[in-house]
Amino acid sequence: MQQYIDKYDFAGKKAIVRVDFNVPLNENFVITDDTRIRAAIPTLKKVLEKGGSLIIMSHLGRPKGVDAKFSLKHIVDHVSAKLGAPVKFADDCMKADELAAALKPGEVLLLENLRFYAEEEGKPRGLAEDASDEEKAAAKAKVKESQKEFVKHLASYADCYINDAFGTAHRAHASTALIAKYFPNDKMFGYLMEGEIKAIDNVLHNAQRPLTAIIGGSKVSSKLAVLKNLVGKVDNLIIGGGMGYTFIKAQGGKIGLSLHEDELIPDAQAILDEAKAKGVNIYLSTEAVATQEFSNEAQTKLFPSTAIPEDWEGVDAGPESLEVWKKVIADSKTILWNGPVGVFEIPLFAKGTLRIAEELASATAKGAYTLVGGGDSVAAVTQMGFADKVSYVSTGGGAMLEAIEGKELPGIAAIRE
Ligand code: AMP
């Protein structure tokens, strides 16, 4: 049975907490952005305040085995400073028995990178490139078998389990999903997970109408499932960025050199048809900022998005598109935004995306519920100084996308079931 962090009695208990401390480090192993660490602090502090002790576990990067570059020892001091408590370090997550057993209320232990073990992800490593299908299957079976011991061993350190790692909630890994079964009556979400789940719920299940989704980014293929799920739920769907051009081409528009996926034109058409049948308004870009050069010094011209010359490429939403979208956003009560509406990395082509951030902030000020997710959208909101002027900024790109595809995330299901 699922427990709740606010109600659970942590006194004298050891809590093993999965966090997402996969923070960016520079070449001197200094943290360049500690957002993910800060995001987990309320949960960690709560356990300590209520008389519990902490065993913190996370991954860092994508090591292929033990690799000092990806050691969590680099972040021990920072975590300790943010938490306001000393943090002990177990330099092998499978050899922390004594350190865990000795933990007293109020004490904190951080385990070394879980992904130093293939068992965390349950995927075989070091397979020869020319391995046969049988060899692959045998290696997979082997790691799945040893994964059981890995999970059991992690679970043996603690009395209760908290998952506060939304960023990896879409993965069925040892520490994000499998471990929960060892704590049938002592498993719960941390505050970050609770917040993310509520935010998604506010949009997908409890939305105040009108509900508008703004989906941008490069490719239809990477967000097809998202669009398919949303078209059955929203009142308005704004499709911008590179992916918008596949839709414009599907409707017969001339898109020049703009990014598009011909093989997805039938899918784009099917989404347009479904939207029409369901009375959902789809807003594509009507005016494009186009260029012939991918640089910040490039010349740009405005064209109707359906009449871009053959040797020009649409790279941002033009003012006319933004005026239409602005009105749709302003008239909405709930807004979900994922993905840039232009080539955000180049400041010259980032204006449309920054403008969306601005419109979301003003809609929020007027009482709309706004949820922002995905790397570039979050960066746009942060760059404009609006991170606290929208209702919720999601910390998990991939996890958020899978949630808005309508999938139940393994890390969430494991706590609830
Ligand atoms: P995604 O990872 O799918 O959210 O897409 C983000 C990427 O979409 C960013 O790298 C943007 O540069 C890219 N993008 C957005 N609009 C365009 C466009 N019109 N043409 C090419 N790339 C774009």
Side-chain angles (χ1 to χ4, degrees):
M1 198 185 51
Q2 177 183 352
Q3 300 291 337
Y4 295 88
I5 183 166
D6 265 335
K7 297 198 187 124
Y8 193 79
D9 180 11
F10 289 100
K13 294 206 176 112
K14 296 186 172 92
I16 189 158
V17 191
R18 176 53 154 109
V19 294
D20 180 3
F21 281 175
N22 183 27
V23 288
L25 299 169
N26 69 13
E27 61 284 3
N28 298 318
F29 301 107
V30 174
I31 298 169
T32 54
D33 179 356
D34 72 347
T35 310
R36 287 176 171 159
I37 294 178
R38 284 187 286 114
I41 294 297
T43 294
L44 302 176
K45 279 197 169 158
K46 187 75 180 179
V47 174
L48 298 180
E49 276 162 20
K50 284 181 138 188
S53 55
L54 286 169
I55 300 154
I56 307 173
M57 54 178 176
S58 178
H59 74 286
L60 176 66
R62 294 187 170 166
K64 297 278 166 277
V66 178
D67 184 342
K69 220 172 44 231
F70 296 107
S71 174
L72 283 169
K73 72 179 180 214
H74 303 303
I75 71 162
V76 171
D77 290 346
H78 197 91
V79 175
S80 171
K82 291 286 155 206
L83 206 48
V87 173
K88 299 180 171 109
F89 185 63
D91 60 8
D92 182 335
C93 70
M94 282 291 101
K95 293 189 183 137
D97 305 67
E98 283 175 25
L99 284 168
L103 278 181
K104 295 194 190 63
E107 291 188 340
V108 186
L109 172 65
L110 173 66
L111 303 184
E112 180 57 290
N113 195 341
L114 297 165
R115 290 195 189 167
F116 282 1
Y117 284 86
E119 284 78 4
E120 164 62 359
E121 294 176 275
K123 282 195 220 133
R125 285 183 180 155
L127 263 176
E129 274 192 19
D130 57 354
S132 65
D133 286 350
E134 289 84 56
E135 283 167 331
K136 283 186 195 156
K140 191 166 178 199
K142 197 166 160 220
V143 74
K144 287 280 174 203
E145 193 50 40
S146 54
Q147 189 180 44
K148 291 179 193 158
E149 273 311 306
F150 180 83
V151 178
K152 198 169 157 191
H153 197 142
L154 284 178
S156 74
Y157 297 150
D159 304 302
C160 60
Y161 167 63
I162 305 177
N163 189 350
D164 211 20
F166 183 70
T168 45
H170 56 317
R171 309 278 182 223
H173 292 168
S175 67
T176 60
L178 307 183
I179 193 172
K181 77 161 191 269
Y182 287 94
F183 302 94
N185 297 309
D186 300 278
K187 54 181 181 175
M188 67 207 91
F189 297 123
Y191 289 121
L192 176 65
M193 279 284 261
E194 281 185 352
E196 296 274 359
I197 292 168
K198 182 144 189 295
I200 291 164
D201 209 46
N202 283 346
V203 170
L204 289 189
H205 307 295
N206 284 318
Q208 296 249 58
R209 303 277 171 170
L211 164 61
T212 295
I214 308 159
I215 305 295
S218 53
K219 291 183 169 174
V220 179
S221 48
S222 63
K223 291 187 188 162
L224 187 59
V226 168
L227 294 170
K228 280 187 177 162
N229 190 39
L230 288 177
V231 83
K233 292 198 153 66
V234 300
D235 302 299
N236 306 303
L237 183 56
I238 295 174
I239 306 178
M243 59 196 279
Y245 291 105
T246 301
F247 287 83
I248 294 169
K249 191 168 180 193
Q251 292 188 317
K254 304 245 176 308
I255 59 168
L257 293 174
S258 307
L259 193 70
H260 65 284
E261 293 160 287
D262 281 331
E263 65 286 8
L264 280 149
I265 285 181
D267 292 287
Q269 191 57 56
I271 288 170
L272 293 169
D273 293 344
E274 191 181 340
K276 198 166 177 196
K278 291 191 164 141
V280 171
N281 305 307
I282 295 222
Y283 295 92
L284 302 173
S285 158
T286 53
E287 185 185 48
V289 175
T291 188
Q292 292 184 300
E293 193 194 331
F294 255 62
S295 95
N296 209 33
E297 286 72 43
Q299 267 218 9
T300 58
K301 269 192 188 173
L302 294 175
F303 295 105
S305 302
T306 51
I308 300 175
E310 266 174 27
D311 47 353
W312 287 75
E313 173 168 359
V315 284
D316 199 6
E320 191 190 288
S321 308
L322 290 164
E323 271 316 300
V324 177
W325 296 349
K326 171 190 169 162
K327 203 171 168 321
V328 177
I329 293 169
D331 289 342
S332 300
K333 286 266 166 32
T334 307
I335 304 147
L336 165 71
W337 178 28
N338 187 299
V341 298
V343 180
F344 182 70
E345 298 85 337
I346 299 177
L348 185 64
F349 310 144
K351 292 180 194 142
T353 303
L354 293 173
R355 178 76 186 281
I356 300 280
E358 206 174 325
E359 298 306 339
L360 252 71
S362 20
T364 316
K366 285 193 226 115
Y369 182 85
T370 49
L371 167 59
V372 181
D376 295 317
S377 314
V378 171
V381 167
T382 311
Q383 195 175 316
M384 297 290 282
F386 292 155
D388 55 3
K389 293 196 167 67
V390 294
S391 309
Y392 198 86
V393 177
S394 175
T395 56
M400 191 220 189
L401 272 186
E402 289 201 20
I404 57 178
E405 281 173 15
K407 286 191 192 151
E408 184 165 47
L409 309 184
I412 294 178
I415 297 284
R416 284 186 172 154
E417 66 205 13

